[in-house]
Amino acid sequence: MTTTPPTRTDVLVVGAGPAGSAAAAWAARAGLDTVLVDAAVFPRDKTCGDGLTPRAIGELARLGLEDWIRAHTVNQGLRAHGFGQTLLLPWPGPGKNGTGLPSYGSAVARTELDDHLRTTAIKAGAAALDGARAVDVRKAGSRVAAVVFEYAADGKRGETFEIECQRLIVADGVRSGLGKVLGREWHRDTVYGVAGRSYIDSGMSDDPWISSHLELRGEKNEILSGYGWIFPLGDGSVNLGVGTLATAKRPAEVALRPLMRHYAELRREDFQLDGDIRMPTSALLPMGGAVSNVAGPNWALIGDAAACVNPLNGEGIDYGLETGRLIVDVLTATPDADLSVVWPELLREHYGEAFSIARRLAGIVTVPQALRALGPIGMRSDWMMTLALRWMGNLVTDEDRDRSARVWRWAGRRSVKLDHRPPFS
């Protein structure tokens, strides 16, 4: 970690969450002079469910962190509750009817996960600076020549400085202040998420299953367009949260913190919850690539900043880790590439079809009548829910050729053709 900001670098990464730290680690390992800057002082918290799907586990293993993850809690799959049913849905894992991904998941509090990933980038050779917020850019023509930072921490608060860069990677999260400066626009006509997270002590902190309640009820017993989750952390507590789905036409009108407390009371006996929820936070989640202007000639948005969040489950850590790796692959394979052309095309190639069909299906869930009609049908079928886990859990990779993967891609191709605004456009 550096206390004196460098004046220039080959690759400047703004944002030290999973996407930014992964990008910085890969860039440094590739021999590129890399600087990683974040507005917060680490360790810091982040609103998140803390869940790590097998897809995220696979990316962490690529970074050499499998042993570190295995030292934490691991889970076998999803326990799905709703409409009078409870189903145990194991992660598919490798095999003829599965995926090439690992067969286990995990959950690590973001305070620890993000700090460890940032340390991984530093150990790889990246220079890291925290407590500095990106507020503007200086351009040379259409290219970003430098990023202007303002100290956010006490002592130097308000002072500014610049870091010149050859390439800029923007990974500053769902709000992406620097992305807005560069022209990023979030389109709310497709589905987005409104989620709240808390922690609570639990006698089932070592439960080998993560739990999701697909029938989320409000305080008046009304069915809501969303879900609740309980993810065991293995430290005597669980991550407990609720998420609702919305669009510009059907906005979410729910008070998340009271809803989390209500959800905790409903689940208290079954999950041996003890005490009150603590550290409640909430966030809006752009999803499914519902942003435009994700790249310029020498800059690119990755992870949450590019709305790389699954519309069906709110998961974004795996996409963050992946896009951090993919953008560095571009920078090293084609150093002179025009990212304004290459990066949106690559995002659409990897995620466009899946995001299109996922946000179309998630949009149906924003209609409570549809959820009431379709929910019981799905929960009565182990086969349908196993498919849903595969699709909802980001568990179809580019390499998968089994029937469920082929159906998912087929639906995605047709969905894109119907989109008024395809992902990342």
Side-chain angles (χ1 to χ4, degrees), residues 162-306:
E162 286 188 359
I163 300 179
E164 296 181 354
C165 59
Q166 294 297 313
R167 297 296 176 105
L168 169 64
I169 298 174
V170 182
D172 56 350
V174 292
R175 296 186 179 182
S176 192
L178 185 57
K180 291 178 183 177
V181 170
L182 292 166
R184 171 196 189 254
E185 185 177 0
W186 172 20
H187 306 286
R188 303 193 188 194
D189 49 340
T190 56
V191 69
Y192 62 90
V194 184
R197 173 232 73 189
S198 66
Y199 295 102
I200 188 169
D201 293 337
S202 170
M204 294 182 66
S205 178
D206 293 315
D207 188 2
W209 301 86
I210 62 173
S211 286
S212 181
H213 292 82
L214 307 179
E215 182 184 5
L216 182 63
R217 297 276 178 172
E219 295 183 72
K220 298 180 180 178
N221 202 39
E222 74 279 19
I223 191 167
L224 302 175
S225 301
Y227 48 88
W229 70 79
I230 295 176
F231 293 169
L233 294 172
D235 62 354
S237 68
V238 295
N239 182 309
L240 179 147
V242 295
T244 62
L245 298 171
T247 65
K249 291 183 179 180
R250 291 186 289 273
E253 297 178 353
V254 60
L256 288 174
R257 295 191 183 192
L259 180 59
M260 279 192 287
R261 294 189 181 95
H262 176 64
Y263 176 60
E265 290 307 312
L266 292 177
R267 308 277 78 88
R268 185 170 293 277
E269 183 176 350
D270 290 345
F271 288 85
Q272 302 172 31
L273 304 182
D274 183 25
D276 298 326
I277 63 171
R278 58 183 183 273
M279 298 175 64
T281 61
S282 60
L284 288 175
L285 295 175
M287 293 174 159
V291 295
S292 54
N293 300 318
V294 294
N298 69 328
W299 59 268
L301 274 59
I302 65 173
D304 288 357

Side-chain angles (χ1 to χ4, degrees), residues 302-315:
I302 65 173
D304 288 357
C308 290
V309 177
N310 189 329
L312 291 172
N313 67 359
E315 166 66 14

Side-chain angles (χ1 to χ4, degrees), residues 47-86:
T47 302
C48 185
D50 297 339
L52 297 170
T53 65
R55 189 161 180 160
I57 297 294
E59 285 297 316
L60 291 168
R62 285 176 183 262
L63 284 165
L65 301 179
E66 186 170 13
D67 289 344
W68 179 78
I69 279 293
R70 284 241 178 228
H72 294 74
T73 183
V74 296
N75 55 64
Q76 302 173 18
L78 173 69
R79 183 192 290 114
H81 307 261
F83 306 98
Q85 304 289 327
T86 296

Side-chain angles (χ1 to χ4, degrees), residues 130-161:
D130 59 13
R133 185 183 308 279
V135 294
D136 205 352
V137 297
R138 175 168 56 81
K139 287 191 172 183
S142 59
R143 297 172 63 87
V144 171
V147 175
V148 180
F149 292 92
E150 179 181 272
Y151 283 109
D154 292 338
K156 295 184 178 180
R157 185 181 299 274
E159 295 182 23
T160 61
F161 61 92

